């Protein structure tokens, strides 16, 4: 299929970077359509190990055109540093274009993110404090700055001046912090203009041309379905849509062209930040899974924060696949479960005395108790297996059970962090 979206079915950190990197080899374009540097995709390849924050996962392939679409949030300094760090590590200069309509993270977005979490104290959301929520708030308040605005200095000054009228009232009276001046903000943004502007382009034209030529396009999601502001665990959600449906808007491509939606599903659960997490496990059981999870334990790729750990939640994942409109799934991190004698899988919730398989709204989710089915573990290392039939029968049974529960065919099974640690099915 020429146009495919690769998106998360859970809370993020499902291993989308690894799956996108694997699928990118056969793609012509890789496109980021939402979010900013507030999450990280871990990719391990011949150049080493990388945590990509804003760069699309196609940057390791010289033949790929990478696009950061109009739905994203660009931290200019962060982008340039990430780009330079790739080059320093021997990666050939990738082709990257940033939409002229993408919004720019301004210094005050980052400050407001920090100040608001400080103000909320114990009620905070666990923001990565990279300015993403304040940026999207400004976008919808129509006081944001788009990449194209950097070319028009006077207009940029006027826009910042207008935004600061209200920001300074909040800084002074709500947060009791120093006020900002237009001059300092404009100087800071324009310091990077010369290096940044060559990346800025009308990406719609590039996308249209590629689609017309039948090129293979990969739309790369950040975070997961349950962090979507409309369909996720609001308000413990992110600030831009994580769904394949939004990929059409955030990347700039006709919706009918997206035929294939690969939902990335994690073999167990993890979550960063606040919010209800039904299958969360604590104590030594949780620590063990955190220690053995991922490639070097389950710690945030952007923040280094320990992730909250849990068993596989079929109720949440089935819902995640539904809202993504998944046509197929990639099951990741299956190798991690090899240490377990028995593996609990949550197949339904008990909420106020009734059992349900449907994912509820946030207030009810906080009251849901997991109902588990226990499957046998395989207690062996499956990381070298490349053929589904050669997996231990218990591992095959686990995959088949998850598939039945989420009602989406599992076409890829990831059994290790490296590009080739994968089973196709
Ligand atoms: P993403 O944001 O969805 O790309 O996920 P992250 O990069 O935040 O987290 C996934 C972590 O799991 C990274 O450390 C990956 O290197 C690692 N990883 C991905 N797939 C596998 C897998 O199948 N097995 C193991 N052991 N690690 C994996």
């Amino acid at each position: 299929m020429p146009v495919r979206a690769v998106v998360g079915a859970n809370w993020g950190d499902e291993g989308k970077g690894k799956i996108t990197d694997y699928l990118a080899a056969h793609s012509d374009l890789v496109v980021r359509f939402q979010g900013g540097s507030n999450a990280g995709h871990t990719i391990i390849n011949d150049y080493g190990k990388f945590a990509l924050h804003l760069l699309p996962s196609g940057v390791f392939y010289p033949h790929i055109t990478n696009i950061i679409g109009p739905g994203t949030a660009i931290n200019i300094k962060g982008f340039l540093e990430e780009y330079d760090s790739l080059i320093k590590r021997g990666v050939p200069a990738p082709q990257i274009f940033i939409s002229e309509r993408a919004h720019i993270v301004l210094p005050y977005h980052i400050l407001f993110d920090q100040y608001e979490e400080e103000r909320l104290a114990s009620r905070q959301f666990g923001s990565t404090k990279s300015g993403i929520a304040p940026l999207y708030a400004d976008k919808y308040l129509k006081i944001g700055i788009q990449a194209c605005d950097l070319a028009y200095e006077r207009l940029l000054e006027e826009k910042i001046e207008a935004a600061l009228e209200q920001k300074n009232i909040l800084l002074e009276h709500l947060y009791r912090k120093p006020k900002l001046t237009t001059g300092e903000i404009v100087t800071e943004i324009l310091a990077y203009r010369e290096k940044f502007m060559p990346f800025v382009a009308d990406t719609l034209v590039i996308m249209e041309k590629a689609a017309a030529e039948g090129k293979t396009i990969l739309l790369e999601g950040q975070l997961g379905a349950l962090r979507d502001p409309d369909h996720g665990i609001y308000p413990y959600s992110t600030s831009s849509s994580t769904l394949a449906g939004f990929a059409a808007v955030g990347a700039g491509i006709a919706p009918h062209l997206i035929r294939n939606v690969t939902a990335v599903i994690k073999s167990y659960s993890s979550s960063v930040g606040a919010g209800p997490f039904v299958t969360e496990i604590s104590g030594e059981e949780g620590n063990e899974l955190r220690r053995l999870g991922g490639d070097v334990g389950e710690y945030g790729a952007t923040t280094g924060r320990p992730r909250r750990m849990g068993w596989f939640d079929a109720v949440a994942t089935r819902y995640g696949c539904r809202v993504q409109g998944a046509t197929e799934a990639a099951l990741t991190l299956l190798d991690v479960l090899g240490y377990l004698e028995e593996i609990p899988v949550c197949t339904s919730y008990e909420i106020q005395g009734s059992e349900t398989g449907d994912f509820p709204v946030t207030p009810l989710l906080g009251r849901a108790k997991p109902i588990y089915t226990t499957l046998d573990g395989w207690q062996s290392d499956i990381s070298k297996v490349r053929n589904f039939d050669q997996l231990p029968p218990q591992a095959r049974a686990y995959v088949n059970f998850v598939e039945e529960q989420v009602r989406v065919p599992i076409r890829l099974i990831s059994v290790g962090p490296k590009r080739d640690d994968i089973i196709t099915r």
Side-chain angles (χ1 to χ4, degrees):
M1 288 290 175
V3 185
R4 180 200 294 264
V6 180
V7 286
N10 303 124
W11 298 264
D13 308 321
E14 297 95 346
K16 292 175 298 297
K18 145 89 194 252
I19 299 297
T20 313
D21 181 59
Y22 170 78
L23 293 170
H26 310 289
S27 307
D28 302 301
L29 271 78
V30 176
V31 189
R32 280 282 312 267
F33 62 87
Q34 45 106 196
S37 319
N38 51 328
H41 285 171
T42 310
I43 294 183
I44 302 174
N45 57 27
D46 298 343
Y47 300 106
K49 179 175 173 176
F50 297 84
L52 296 182
H53 300 291
L54 185 59
L55 298 183
S57 299
V59 289
F60 301 103
Y61 299 93
H63 74 275
I64 291 181
T65 303
N66 293 278
I67 290 184
I68 306 181
T72 60
I74 314 287
N75 180 321
I76 298 181
K77 185 165 173 264
F79 165 77
L80 293 171
E81 282 173 2
E82 215 179 319
Y83 181 86
D84 287 344
S85 76
L86 242 57
I87 310 287
K88 271 199 205 106
R89 291 179 61 189
V91 179
Q95 301 179 54
I96 304 182
F97 298 100
I98 297 174
S99 166
E100 55 195 5
R101 294 175 189 274
H103 277 247
I104 301 296
V105 179
L106 300 172
Y108 52 70
H109 291 139
I110 297 172
L111 289 176
F112 274 84
D113 215 348
Q114 290 165 0
Y115 295 162
E116 183 60 9
E117 290 279 283
E118 246 173 70
R119 189 184 73 84
L120 289 172
S122 65
R123 292 173 292 145
Q124 61 178 241
F125 289 100
S127 164
T128 58
K129 303 190 184 83
S130 32
I132 303 301
L135 174 142
Y136 282 107
D138 279 2
K139 172 173 172 171
Y140 292 107
L141 282 169
K142 296 175 281 285
I143 55 169
I145 301 294
Q146 293 176 298
C148 57
D149 293 330
L150 269 65
Y152 307 98
E153 204 168 323
R154 276 289 302 280
L155 191 69
L156 180 70
E157 274 173 15
E158 280 170 24
K159 286 186 169 186
I160 304 266
E161 179 98 39
L164 282 182
E165 277 173 22
Q166 51 138 296
K167 307 266 175 228
N168 275 332
I169 293 173
L170 290 174
L171 284 171
E172 190 178 3
H173 299 288
L174 180 66
Y175 299 118
R176 307 203 181 280
K177 300 283 184 187
K179 291 201 280 185
L180 298 167
T181 64
T182 305
E184 65 185 312
I185 303 291
V186 172
T187 307
E188 196 167 333
I189 311 171
L190 294 186
Y192 303 103
R193 178 166 60 176
E194 221 168 286
K195 265 195 94 177
F196 178 67
M197 287 314 269
F199 293 101
V200 177
D202 179 351
T203 54
L204 198 67
V205 170
I206 303 171
M207 296 286 293
E208 249 170 14
K209 185 164 175 290
E213 289 170 357
K215 295 260 168 73
T216 303
I217 301 175
L218 210 60
L219 308 171
E220 178 180 19
Q222 182 215 34
L223 294 164
L226 302 167
R227 299 284 183 204
D228 182 71
D230 290 289
H231 294 275
I233 52 171
Y234 187 86
Y236 306 101
S237 37
T238 190
S239 308
S240 62
S241 176
T242 57
L243 301 184
F246 180 74
V249 178
I253 191 163
H256 69 269
L257 294 176
I258 308 174
R259 301 275 176 75
N260 209 314
V261 177
T262 303
V264 184
I265 295 178
K266 193 161 181 160
S267 298
Y268 51 90
S269 299
S270 71
S271 168
V272 175
F277 183 14
V278 178
T279 62
E280 183 165 17
I281 44 177
S282 52
E284 190 35 44
E285 215 180 14
N287 289 340
E288 192 171 30
L289 184 53
R290 183 177 305 107
R291 200 169 57 243
L292 299 172
D295 67 316
V296 281
E298 290 280 358
Y299 299 91
T302 297
T303 58
R305 287 186 287 186
R307 292 175 179 155
R308 297 163 69 194
M309 306 305 299
W311 300 124
F312 183 76
D313 183 339
V315 180
T317 311
R318 181 162 58 238
Y319 175 79
C321 288
R322 266 173 69 203
V323 295
Q324 288 291 12
T327 56
E328 59 176 48
L331 183 68
T332 55
L333 297 128
L334 188 65
D335 54 302
V336 168
L337 300 178
Y339 71 100
L340 290 159
E341 223 171 291
E342 291 187 323
I343 313 173
V345 172
C346 168
T347 46
S348 54
Y349 294 165
E350 189 203 307
I351 303 174
Q352 295 169 327
S354 333
E355 189 175 334
T356 179
D358 294 329
F359 192 73
V361 291
T362 312
L364 286 178
L365 191 63
R367 296 177 200 176
K369 306 250 175 325
I371 298 176
Y372 287 112
T373 298
T374 304
L375 304 192
D376 290 336
W378 45 94
Q379 294 188 277
S380 59
D381 176 11
I382 57 166
S383 62
K384 302 283 178 296
V385 179
R386 296 290 174 267
N387 189 322
F388 186 69
D389 296 332
Q390 280 158 10
L391 281 173
Q394 299 90 334
R396 271 183 277 145
Y398 191 83
V399 175
N400 289 334
F401 189 76
V402 168
E403 182 171 69
E404 211 173 276
Q405 287 289 321
V406 301
R407 299 174 196 154
V408 178
I410 294 173
R411 300 263 187 248
L412 293 172
I413 300 162
S414 177
V415 290
K418 302 216 180 70
R419 194 179 271 176
D420 302 327
D421 300 335
I422 203 151
I423 298 171
T424 53
R425 192 160 168 253

